[in-house]
Amino acid sequence: MTYVSGLALLLVLGVAGMLFGRRALMLTQLVRLGKPLQRFDDVPQRVRNQAVVVLGQKKLFQRLGPGLIHALIFWGFLILFPTIIMALIGAVSKGSTLPWLGHQGWFALLVDLFVVLVLVGVISAFWIRKVQRPERFKGSHLGEADLILGLIAMIVLTLLLWHAALIATGLNEWPASWSPVSNAIAQVFGEGTWAEVRERIFVWAHVLLVVGFMAYLPHSKHLHIATAAINVWFGRTRRRGRLEPLDFTVEDESEMRFGAATIADMTWKQMIDTMSCTECGRCQDVCPAYQTGKELSPKLLIMGLRDQLFAEGPNLLAASKGGNAFEPSALVPNAVSDDVVWDCVTCGACVQECPVAIEHVDHIVDLRRHLVMVEGRFPSDGETMLRDVERSQNPWGKPQTERADWTEGLEVRVLQPGEPAPDVLYWVGCAASYDERAKTTAQSTAKLLQAAGVDFAVLGPRESCTGDPARRMGNEYTFQSFAEQNVATMNEAGVTKIVASCPHCFNTLANEYPDFGGNYEVVHHTELLAELLQEGRLAPVAGTEEITYHDSCYLARHNDVISAPREIVSRVGKPLEMARSGKRGFCCGAGGAHMWMEERGNQINEERAREAAETGAGTLAVACPFCTIMLDDGVKQNGSEMRVADVATLLAEALEPRDGATT
């Protein structure tokens, strides 16, 4: 009997191994065809991510209920993994088990406990999917998810019943009293021949379910069970506001990459991204475009790319091995539509929410890069912005000679060539240089720096657009031209420390200019002002007005600057938090070059302005010139009387006069 069982098990494992291995090999070879990407550094942080994000399920716990459900199932399978080996041994040799561990009562107790917890998790997941039916599951493969949940339930149930049958037949190698659930079921089974038959049925049912699940896994949406940990390992460890630069210096032009036109242009990380999607819809649920009725769903974007990768990948792989030539079809509009690509505001809410480290924004920008730089296919209002940036060095299309006009009457030093560098270079940005509402921020910041005795200067006409709008629009070449120009200017001037009022400029200077030789200490103006407050160099008069603060996506979510602006708000008024704040705040709608593009459907800025008004605060504080403009418009469109002002302006107004001076 043992001999026959052994042969049967080998046959089952052989078939399952072939099905699993063949699919896994194809997927591995396909990923190896992906375009290169450097993600092999910062090993300590990658190890921490495995411990915190994968084992600790940290990002899933951003939603406590669903997170706990998934954690119970995930941790359950980790604890129960040795029972698979035990079942394989027991299927061949009745009553045999793993040495030592199979005899431990404490482990048997853990098995009973986690079988119950996994079943609770599965039942809860079914309840959410079938009764609550949240919007975030719209578009997901729900039938396949139900099948997977059913298989998980059957796997742990057959394990429990097998253990009960072992106890009923006296074949258990551990004290039965340590298995309260299995032992209770065993009393129902009773003894005798049928108990022995049941033991054989349950152990083989368990083995076949486990092996079948493993064979099915790489062919299913639950491929993420195998790829999620890999994707988290290779996730971005630097601040997520940085985009990967394109290399325009390669000698072989045929190897030059201009974004993603087909699956052949995807990086290997982007391919693993698509294979790791759990279809949980958390990204969709927080996407400001989707929440205001746009076509974009980050989840469906990744699913569409995955479907095309799986449909055309085998042909691409065969062609790479010398088979028939194969030309993949365009990702846009075959995998995703043009509107999906241009709906994105690059706010990063999807990336923040994703539990498996998918980098949706990188996919979007790569699709844009090809459309803009190769096909010249993009919204007409975006074309106007790009033309103004290239012609006038700013997206407002204003002359460079007017860039320092905001300093009139403030005695702000404009750094000239050959002059000694200041302690701090104030990078004003295009918005604060040219937009009347945003100019107030620059003026207030300058007054505060002067009041605190900070040695600072501005570049004036020598400052040009950082290139951020062009880059997020997809024109990487224009961005790199501006990056190299600005870096050369600042390096020649001897700049070492920069303060920026615009989070988009701040993100570009701090996270993206190092790729082009620009290595500076970069702080946001709220960080510097909060530091000056703590040092006592600024002394505001505390106010009583209720103020709600809006987190800029490029400040809080992309760059972890959350406490500094709140420190300022708390010094000048009574802070009130909006329902969505910090890293999980809601976008103003300006990112991804949308500051200069017409928005379809419901307006993101109006939605955010309504949320701010619901707090009852009289003032909406911001820390971004784009947010100032967008939310001021949103407040007006909603008919609200709420004032929109930068935290620097609020602080300057509250500053206690010293020695008769005013600010």
Side-chain angles (χ1 to χ4, degrees):
M1 186 66 179
T2 300
Y3 179 73
V4 174
S5 297
L7 287 177
L9 182 61
L10 286 175
L11 178 63
V12 168
L13 291 175
V15 172
M18 180 189 68
L19 293 173
F20 180 92
R22 185 172 61 183
R23 179 69 170 179
L25 178 62
M26 188 278 287
L27 295 176
T28 301
Q29 291 176 332
L30 186 57
V31 169
R32 289 173 66 87
L33 286 182
K35 297 300 182 183
L37 187 67
Q38 295 302 316
R39 290 292 176 88
F40 302 95
D41 58 347
D42 204 0
V43 172
Q45 182 59 48
R46 299 188 190 282
V47 172
R48 284 192 290 272
N49 288 344
Q50 291 294 299
V52 175
V53 178
V54 179
L55 295 179
Q57 302 277 278
K58 177 183 177 181
K59 297 193 77 174
L60 280 157
F61 278 111
Q62 291 179 132
R63 293 170 181 258
L64 183 58
L68 183 59
I69 289 169
H70 189 277
L72 290 177
I73 297 173
F74 174 75
W75 291 335
F77 268 82
L78 291 182
I79 296 296
L80 298 175
F81 181 79
T83 65
I84 297 175
I85 310 300
M86 294 174 180
L88 294 175
I89 295 172
V92 175
S93 178
K94 185 188 299 185
S96 299
T97 186
L98 278 175
W100 185 74
L101 188 61
H103 301 267
Q104 302 302 310
W106 61 266
F107 181 71
L109 178 61
L110 277 179
V111 170
D112 264 24
L113 173 63
F114 275 94
V115 162
V116 172
L117 291 177
V118 169
L119 286 174
V120 168
V122 169
I123 293 169
S124 301
F126 267 120
W127 175 267
I128 290 175
R129 291 173 177 273
K130 299 305 178 186
V131 179
Q132 293 184 353
R133 303 176 68 87
E135 170 74 14
R136 63 188 175 91
F137 288 126
K138 184 178 180 180
S140 300
H141 294 93
L142 297 180
E144 191 175 356
D146 293 343
L147 173 62
I148 294 292
L149 287 172
L151 283 173
I152 292 172
M154 291 300 296
I155 287 171
V156 294
L157 274 173
T158 52
L159 173 62
L160 186 65
L161 294 171
W162 174 49
H163 278 197
L166 285 173
I167 294 172
T169 55
L171 293 173
N172 54 297
E173 296 283 352
W174 70 92
S177 59
W178 281 89
S179 299
V181 182
S182 300
N183 197 24
I185 297 174
Q187 305 312 311
V188 177
F189 282 172
E191 301 176 356
T193 304
W194 277 110
E196 296 180 4
V197 172
R198 278 192 293 266
E199 187 273 335
R200 290 291 86 191
I201 291 173
F202 291 140
V203 70
W204 273 100
H206 182 66
V207 167
L208 291 174
L209 283 167
V210 169
V211 173
F213 183 82
M214 295 303 296
Y216 175 63
L217 186 66
H219 300 83
S220 75
K221 71 173 282 292
H222 267 60
L223 175 61
H224 75 268
I225 293 177
T227 59
I230 298 172
N231 209 45
V232 170
W233 176 269
F234 289 114
R236 181 177 280 110
T237 56
R238 289 199 252 176
R239 285 175 175 169
R240 61 175 63 96
R242 173 182 176 269
L243 290 175
E244 298 288 346
L246 298 182
D247 186 0
F248 295 122
T249 64
V250 293
E251 295 182 2
D252 186 354
E253 290 189 5
S254 65
E255 294 296 319
M256 193 173 293
R257 182 170 176 269
F258 293 92
T262 70
I263 62 168
D265 299 314
M266 297 172 69
T267 68
W268 57 265
K269 172 62 168 66
Q270 289 173 338
M271 291 183 177
I272 301 176
D273 271 355
T274 68
M275 299 175 189
S276 301
C277 181
T278 70
E279 301 183 17
C280 66
R282 287 171 171 81
C283 57
Q284 179 176 288
D285 216 25
V286 299
C287 175
Y290 186 85
Q291 292 304 310
T292 51
K294 314 298 191 297
E295 186 179 344
L296 169 63
S297 158
K299 177 186 70 176
L300 297 180
L301 163 78
I302 299 300
M303 290 171 61
L305 295 173
R306 179 185 66 193
D307 290 346
Q308 189 149 329
L309 179 65
F310 284 174
E312 299 184 346
N315 292 329
L316 182 66
L317 191 57
S320 72
K321 296 178 179 178
N324 294 331
F326 175 70
E327 187 65 34
S329 57
L331 293 172
V332 183
N334 296 297
V336 297
S337 71
D338 287 68
D339 283 344
V340 164
V341 174
W342 297 111
D343 282 343
C344 180
V345 291
T346 67
C347 70
C350 49
V351 181
Q352 169 66 30
E353 205 73 12
C354 181
V356 293
I358 294 173
E359 296 164 0
H360 312 72
V361 174
D362 294 67
H363 288 268
I364 288 280
V365 172
D366 260 356
L367 294 173
R368 289 182 176 184
R369 283 167 167 171
H370 174 78
L371 292 177
V372 171
M373 293 190 292
V374 178
E375 296 189 27
R377 191 167 101 222
F378 52 95
S380 58
D381 38 8
E383 181 179 7
T384 302
M385 180 273 291
L386 288 175
R387 184 172 60 248
D388 284 339
V389 168
E390 293 173 351
R391 181 186 60 192
S392 304
Q393 300 187 58
N394 67 83
W396 270 262
K398 299 291 185 66
Q400 279 291 95
T401 54
E402 297 179 10
R403 193 173 272 275
D405 285 1
W406 65 271
T407 65
E408 186 177 351
L410 294 179
E411 299 182 359
V412 173
R413 175 188 168 200
V414 178
L415 186 63
Q416 302 298 325
E419 290 185 352
D423 292 342
V424 178
L425 175 72
Y426 178 25
W427 188 274
V428 183
C430 301
S433 296
Y434 297 112
D435 183 88
E436 290 303 320
R437 285 172 290 185
K439 280 182 181 179
T440 305
T441 301
Q443 292 164 344
S444 298
T445 301
K447 292 175 184 178
L448 291 166
L449 296 180
Q450 289 171 337
V454 176
D455 174 31
F456 76 99
V458 300
L459 286 173
R462 292 201 293 159
E463 177 187 299
S464 64
C465 180
T466 61
D468 165 82
R471 183 172 229 195
R472 267 67 193 172
M473 186 78 186
N475 195 328
E476 178 72 7
Y477 185 80
T478 294
F479 161 73
Q480 292 196 15
S481 298
F482 276 97
E484 291 167 357
Q485 172 187 322
N486 285 324
V487 166
T489 298
M490 289 188 288
N491 286 352
E492 183 181 357
V495 171
T496 57
K497 183 173 182 178
I498 302 172
V499 60
S501 294
C502 175
H504 298 262
C505 295
F506 165 65
N507 176 75
T508 302
L509 294 165
N511 301 327
E512 298 182 328
Y513 273 22
D515 291 325
F516 303 93
N519 297 289
Y520 318 106
E521 179 188 354
V522 185
V523 296
H524 188 252
H525 76 295
T526 59
E527 294 180 291
L528 181 55
L529 294 177
E531 181 181 330
L532 295 174
L533 283 171
Q534 292 165 3
E535 293 174 354
R537 295 167 68 180
L538 294 173
V541 177
T544 58
E545 183 176 10
E546 293 181 326
I547 304 171
T548 188
Y549 171 69
H550 162 78
D551 288 280
S552 162
C553 302
Y554 273 76
L555 196 59
R557 189 151 43 235
H558 285 309
N559 286 286
D560 305 320
V561 179
I562 298 173
S563 61
R566 285 174 169 78
E567 169 76 11
I568 299 171
V569 170
S570 68
R571 293 291 192 98
V572 300
K574 294 184 177 179
L576 295 174
E577 287 288 351
M578 283 186 260
R580 292 175 287 193
S581 62
K583 285 181 173 291
R584 304 184 79 187
F586 195 75
C587 186
C588 76
H594 274 257
M595 182 74 185
W596 298 274
M597 288 194 285
E598 190 68 29
E599 185 176 351
R600 299 182 300 108
N602 297 329
Q603 305 295 294
I604 294 173
N605 61 335
E606 293 179 20
E607 172 68 20
R608 186 56 165 171
R610 277 191 292 271
E611 187 173 358
E614 288 171 359
T615 65
T619 298
L620 172 54
V622 295
C624 169
F626 290 1
C627 295
T628 300
I629 298 166
M630 295 296 289
L631 294 178
D632 188 53
D633 287 344
V635 165
K636 290 174 181 176
Q637 289 296 320
N638 290 341
S640 171
E641 297 297 323
M642 177 177 277
R643 179 195 181 193
V644 179
D646 191 278
V647 292
T649 300
L650 298 177
L651 180 58
E653 292 173 348
L655 199 62
E656 182 176 304
R658 290 186 176 182
D659 300 325
T662 61
T663 58

